[in-house]
């Protein structure tokens, strides 16, 4: 069965689908490159350059300029489609300094990680899909109640240590730029 290469597929997606969908595809490709290289993040830049090089050869194709913007925005640290889409929409709303996988010292000495940080606002944004609560395999034998209590303790610790607010969002909140903006406004979070 004929098919396109990963780089060509990513390029074509970035120029033909909604930008937030494209960034999720590029983030996944970059993350896969890093995983395939044993965690070497330089592999993400090699992958990005391969996509951009292909794009330069097809610079006259419809959506090429947008695709370059999406590929340059992509980041291998995004751990899920939800994080990728959220990051793109946050930028669309007007947040310019968005940290990813932010480390916070945990109570036992091990670092905790937060999905996203609106650095100018002292706000963390956590994307939560329901699957981590509903899927037995992802709960590691724990009940939903145990998972929720652990998450509550984790969030309390993070807020206490950093003095940052935490805004949790889900799929409904990233259905559009407007939906995410409404959710953030409910928490008093606005771009400067």
């Amino acid at each position: 069965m004929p098919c396109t290469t990963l780089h060509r597929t990513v390029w074509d997606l970035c120029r033909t689908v909604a930008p937030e969908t494209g960034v999720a595809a590029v983030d996944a490709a970059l993350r896969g490159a890093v995983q395939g290289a044993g965690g070497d993040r330089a592999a993400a830049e090699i992958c990005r350059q391969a996509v951009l090089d292909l794009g330069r050869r097809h610079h006259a194709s419809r959506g090429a300029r947008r695709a370059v913007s999406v590929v340059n925005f992509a980041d291998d640290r995004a751990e899920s489609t939800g994080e990728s889409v959220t990051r793109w929409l946050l930028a669309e709303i007007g947040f310019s300094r968005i940290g990813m996988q932010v480390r916070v010292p945990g109570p036992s000495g091990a670092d905790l990680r937060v999905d996203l940080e609106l650095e100018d606002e002292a706000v963390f944004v956590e994307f939560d899909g329901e699957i981590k609560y509903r899927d037995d395999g992802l709960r590691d034998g724990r009940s939903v109640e145990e998972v929720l209590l652990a998450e509550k303790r984790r969030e309390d610790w993070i807020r206490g240590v950093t003095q940052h607010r935490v805004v949790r969002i889900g799929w409904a909140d990233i259905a559009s730029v407007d939906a995410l903006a409404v959710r953030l406004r409910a928490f008093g979070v606005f771009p400067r």
Side-chain angles (χ1 to χ4, degrees):
M1 172 188 311
C3 60
T4 60
T5 65
L6 172 66
H7 302 131
R8 179 59 191 252
T9 302
V10 167
W11 174 255
D12 286 343
L13 283 170
C14 288
R15 65 181 194 78
T16 60
V17 299
E20 58 270 23
T21 303
V23 83
V26 184
D27 283 356
L30 299 181
R31 186 171 57 251
V34 170
Q35 290 168 349
D40 183 358
R41 291 198 61 217
E45 291 313 309
I46 293 168
C47 180
R48 182 191 320 272
Q49 287 310 309
V51 174
L52 291 171
D53 288 346
L54 190 144
R56 280 190 271 289
R57 291 193 302 273
H58 298 278
H59 68 278
S61 58
R62 182 178 56 88
R65 192 173 10 194
R66 181 184 67 193
V68 168
S69 173
V70 170
V71 172
N72 283 323
F73 183 84
D75 194 307
D76 63 280
R77 293 173 296 169
E79 293 184 341
S80 70
T81 298
E83 286 180 30
S84 299
V85 172
T86 300
R87 194 173 81 258
W88 179 269
L89 295 177
L90 288 168
E92 288 288 301
I93 289 170
F95 295 100
S96 58
R97 294 183 355 110
I98 304 168
M100 295 183 60
Q101 302 307 323
V102 180
R103 296 189 183 284
V104 175
S108 64
D111 284 344
L112 304 173
R113 284 184 303 136
V114 182
D115 296 338
L116 302 162
E117 178 183 15
L118 303 176
E119 295 173 355
D120 294 328
E121 314 305 321
V123 171
F124 289 130
V125 177
E126 286 274 86
F127 178 83
D128 277 339
E130 291 181 18
I131 192 165
K132 81 180 198 182
Y133 303 107
R134 296 185 184 274
D135 186 304
D136 292 337
L138 294 176
R139 291 196 321 256
D140 295 325
R142 298 178 298 167
S143 69
V144 173
E145 292 83 3
E146 290 170 315
V147 172
L148 287 170
L149 283 171
E151 193 65 26
K152 172 76 172 118
R153 287 185 193 104
R154 175 185 172 277
E155 184 176 314
D156 285 347
W157 178 268
I158 289 168
R159 279 196 316 265
V161 168
T162 65
Q163 300 301 302
H164 281 37
R165 290 181 286 163
V166 177
V167 178
R168 290 191 171 277
I169 58 170
W171 286 107
D173 302 312
I174 61 171
S176 69
V177 171
D178 291 339
L180 183 55
V182 165
R183 176 75 173 171
L184 293 172
R185 277 196 302 272
F187 286 83
V189 178
F190 307 91
R192 292 177 192 231

